[in-house]
Amino acid sequence: MAEKNIVVLGAGFAGVAATRRLAKRFKKNHDVHITLIDRHSYMTYMTELHEVATDRVPLESVQYDLGRLFAHKKNVSLVTDNVTKVDHDKNVVTTEHGRYNYDYLILAMGAESNDFGTPGVKEHGFSLWSFEDAVKIKEHIKATVAAAALEHDEAKRKAMLTFVVVGGGFTGVETIGEMIDWRPILAKENKIDPSEITLILDEAVPTILNMLDRPDADLALRFMKKKGVDVRTSTPITEIGADYMTLKDGNHVPTHTVIWTAGLKANTDTSDFDMEQGRAGRLVTNEFMQSKQYANTYVAGDLSLNTNEGDRGTPQIVEAAEQTGNTAAEHIVATINGTTPKPLKSSYSGFVVSIGAHYSVANVFGSIHLSGWFGTIMKHMINLLYFFTTFAGYYIFQYSMHEFFRNRHGRNPFWGHISRYGNVLWSVPARIFYASMWLVDCWYKIQGSGSWFNGKLRLPFTWLYPKVTTSGASEAAGTAKKAVETAAAAPTNEFFSLSYDYGKQPMMIFKHLPSWYESVTKFFIPNKQTALFMQEFMTIVEIALAVCILLGLFTWLANAITIGLVVVFCLSGMFYWVNMWMPFMALALMNGSGRAFGLDFWVVPWLQKHLGHWWYGDLKSIYSKN
Ligand SMILES: Cc1cc2nc3c(=O)[nH]c(=O)nc-3n(C[C@H](O)[C@H](O)[C@H](O)COP(=O)(O)OP(=O)(O)OC[C@H]3O[C@@H](n4cnc5c(N)ncnc54)[C@H](O)[C@@H]3O)c2cc1C
C-alpha cells in the first residue's frame, strides 16, 4: 500500500479523539502516518476554563500536554503551529511555519465567541472560549478589584466592582457560579466588603439553561439568586463600552467587566478554507462527517454542521465533539481498509452545570436528576472518566490534585477539608518515633531468646506444628503445641484496652484466623521450611521499612506498606488492640512527611523528573514534525 498521510487540524476534544482512534486502528499499518497540528503544545480542557478565569484552579490545570497524551503513539507526529490555509486541489495544509501534504484531512478547529455584531463587544467585552481568554479575564478581574479598592469616587468604584456575564447557557452560568465563590476571597484580599461586589447574569431570552429540563434549570436559578446574583432575563444588550453596557429596555449599567458567553460561531480561521458554511459559519458535512465538496476532507466537533442532525447540527458539547471525531476517523479507516463505514450515531448522556465548587445541577441519562453536592460529585466523576478513557493516568493524578487536594480557599467539593497547604515539619518527630517502634520490634526478633532467626518456629499457625497424638505426644510436638497455645490462644485474663493494665494481658484483634484467611495463608505458607523463611524475610522487610521511614525515603509507600502489614498481622492473630494507633500514625505520615528533613525532599523530585522523561519524553513548548 502507498503511504498515506492523515492530517488532523485542532487538538481539542474532537481532534484528540480522532487522532487517538486513528493511531489505534493503524497501529500495525506502518504506511499510515498521522499528524496532529494545533497552535498550542497542549490540549485545552475547555470545560474547566471558567475555573481558570475565576482563579479556582491554576493555569496549568487545563493544559494537557499533547506529548504526554500521545507519548506512546509512534504513528502520530505533533506539530505546534497556527494553521492559515488549506489547499484542497493540492492537498496541502499551510501553517505559519510549514506545509503539510495530506491524503485525508480532519478539521477540528473548534468554535469562537459570537457577538452577533453587538457594538462594543469586540473592543470592550471579554470572551471565554480559549486558554488566553481565561487568563485575560482572571488578570482583568484581579486588577480591577485591586484598583477599585483604592478608588474614592463612589460611582466609579461601584462600576469597577460590577461584573456582568452575558449568556445564560452553561458557560455563562458556570462562570457567574465561580464568581459567587470568588467574591469573598477577592473582597478579603483587597480589604473591601463582599457586598460591594455586584454580580449580574444577563440573558436575552426569557429563560436560562435551556438545554436542561425546566425544574433543573429553575433550581439553578434559585440557587444563584439566593447567592446574590442579579439574574436578568429577556434583557438583550445593545452596546458595551469601556465602563458601561446598555440594555434594550433602555437601562444603562455602569461596569468595567462584561464577559460575553452569549453565542458561538465557527472558528473564523476556517472561513476562507473554501468549504460550504452553514449556520454560524459551521462547515457542512454528511453523516460520516465528510465534507460534501471534498471526499478526503472531514470536519468534527464544534466546527462541524452535520445537516443530517437537523438545521442546528450536533450540539457544541464534548460528547458530540468526540463522537464526530471518532466517526470521521472511522470513515478514513474504512476508506483505507476497504470496509463499510458507519454513520454518526449521536447519543448524549446529559448535562452537569456547576455553580461554584459545591453546587451543580445535573440531568444525566435522561432520568437521573441531581442537584447540589451530588451534582458536583457527578461532574468530577465525568471528568475523571474522561481521563480514564483516554488512559491519561498522569492527568487523573493532576486533576485530583487541582480539584481536590491542592486547592485554596475551600473551593473544592469538600469545602477545603481534604485540601491544605500544610507544613509537614510537625510530623517529623512522629515519623522518627514510628520508625523507632518498628525497629524496637525488630530488635527482639533478631537477637535474644525470642529471635526469629534461630531456626525456631515463631509463626502461630497451627498446621505448621506436628499434631499431638493421644498415645503420647513427642516432646517436640508438645513444645510446638505450647508455642501455638501461647501465641494463638486467649489468656484467661485478657482484656480490651488501648493501654496495658498491670497484671492483665492485652487483647488480640483476631484470636483465630478467619477461615478464608487461613486458606490463603496455608497456600502461601504450607510447611515449616517456608514458615522459617517467611519469618526471617518479613523481619528483614520490617527493618527496611523502618529505616526508610526514619530516613524519610519513599515515605508514602513505606507507610502504606506498614498499614498492609498491620492488616496481615491482625488477621494472623499477631496484633493487639494496644497497638492500634500504628496504622493511623502511618496514614498521617503519608502526608508528605518525608519531604521535611527526609530524603524524599531530593529523591521524589528527581524520580518525577527522570521517570516522567523516560515515560513521556521531553515536555516541549513547541512540537515539530522533524
Ligand atoms: C467555559 C466552558 C465550559 C464548558 N462546559 C461544558 C460542559 O460542561 N460540557 C460539555 O459537553 N461541553 C462544555 N463546553 C463546550 C466544550 O468545551 C466544546 O464543545 C468542546 O471543547 C469542543 O471541542 P472541539 O474539539 O470541537 O473544539 P476545541 O476544544 O475548541 O478545540 C479546538 C482546537 O483547535 C485549535 N485551533 C483553533 N484554531 C487553530 C488554528 N488556526 N491553528 C491551529 N490550531 C487551531 C485550538 O487551539 C483548539 O485546541 C464548555 C466550554 C467552555 C468554554
Side-chain angles (χ1 to χ4, degrees), residues 123-144:
E123 299 79 9
H124 306 294
F126 293 86
S127 56
L128 182 53
W129 208 264
S130 69
F131 176 75
E132 291 80 1
D133 287 347
V135 176
K136 213 164 131 191
I137 290 174
K138 172 172 150 169
E139 284 171 359
H140 167 81
I141 294 177
K142 281 185 144 186
T144 307

Side-chain angles (χ1 to χ4, degrees), residues 10-15 37-40 42 44 46-47 49-50 81-83 108-111 128-129 170-171 174 267 269 300-303 316-319 321 352 379:
F13 287 96
I37 307 179
D38 197 285
R39 58 162 64 112
H40 298 121
Y42 52 84
T44 306
M46 301 281 281
T47 59
L49 272 187
H50 55 289
D81 209 344
N82 215 21
V83 177
M109 291 157 71
L128 182 53
W129 208 264
F170 54 72
T171 313
E174 292 194 325
N267 182 339
D269 292 356
D302 284 0
L303 179 62
Q316 286 164 299
I317 57 171
V318 170
E319 279 188 310
V352 186
K379 176 148 188 157

Side-chain angles (χ1 to χ4, degrees), residues 414-619:
F414 302 94
W415 287 268
H417 282 287
I418 59 169
S419 163
R420 182 155 291 280
Y421 288 92
N423 191 339
V424 287
L425 176 67
W426 315 122
S427 65
V428 174
R431 197 183 85 214
I432 294 167
F433 174 75
Y434 183 57
S436 310
M437 288 298 102
W438 279 94
L439 285 176
V440 167
D441 184 55
C442 292
W443 174 248
Y444 292 110
K445 287 181 182 168
I446 57 175
Q447 55 78 52
S449 57
S451 171
W452 286 35
F453 287 79
N454 59 7
K456 279 196 185 156
L457 205 49
R458 302 286 172 192
L459 296 177
F461 305 139
T462 47
W463 66 88
L464 298 174
Y465 296 90
K467 284 207 168 60
V468 181
T469 57
T470 43
S471 59
S474 72
E475 195 187 332
T479 318
K481 184 169 181 283
K482 212 170 152 207
V484 174
E485 279 170 3
T486 315
T492 46
N493 61 345
E494 74 167 7
F495 133 122
F496 172 79
S497 169
L498 292 179
S499 63
Y500 284 103
D501 196 9
Y502 183 71
K504 306 273 172 101
Q505 291 290 327
M507 182 173 159
M508 277 185 190
I509 309 251
F510 284 107
K511 221 182 291 172
H512 305 289
L513 278 65
S515 58
W516 66 270
Y517 185 75
E518 183 170 322
S519 320
V520 175
T521 317
K522 249 185 198 165
F523 178 79
F524 286 106
I525 310 178
N527 51 40
K528 189 176 170 188
Q529 282 88 331
T530 321
L532 287 173
F533 167 77
M534 281 307 287
Q535 67 185 34
E536 291 177 9
F537 174 74
M538 286 310 297
T539 309
I540 293 166
V541 169
E542 282 174 38
I543 294 170
L545 289 172
V547 171
C548 278
I549 295 170
L550 191 68
L551 299 178
L553 179 64
F554 304 125
T555 318
W556 192 94
L557 189 64
N559 279 290
I561 297 174
T562 63
I563 295 176
L565 285 184
V566 167
V567 173
V568 169
F569 294 164
C570 288
L571 290 168
S572 306
M574 291 160 52
F575 204 77
Y576 300 97
W577 280 107
V578 282
N579 288 330
M580 221 24 194
W581 57 271
M582 292 179 84
F584 298 102
M585 172 78 95
L587 261 181
L589 294 176
M590 285 164 73
N591 191 21
S593 147
R595 299 279 188 129
F597 296 109
L599 293 178
D600 283 348
F601 182 80
W602 295 281
V603 173
V604 174
W606 186 88
L607 275 181
Q608 279 170 340
K609 188 173 154 202
H610 288 87
L611 285 179
H613 183 266
W614 166 71
W615 186 249
Y616 292 117
D618 274 339
L619 268 185

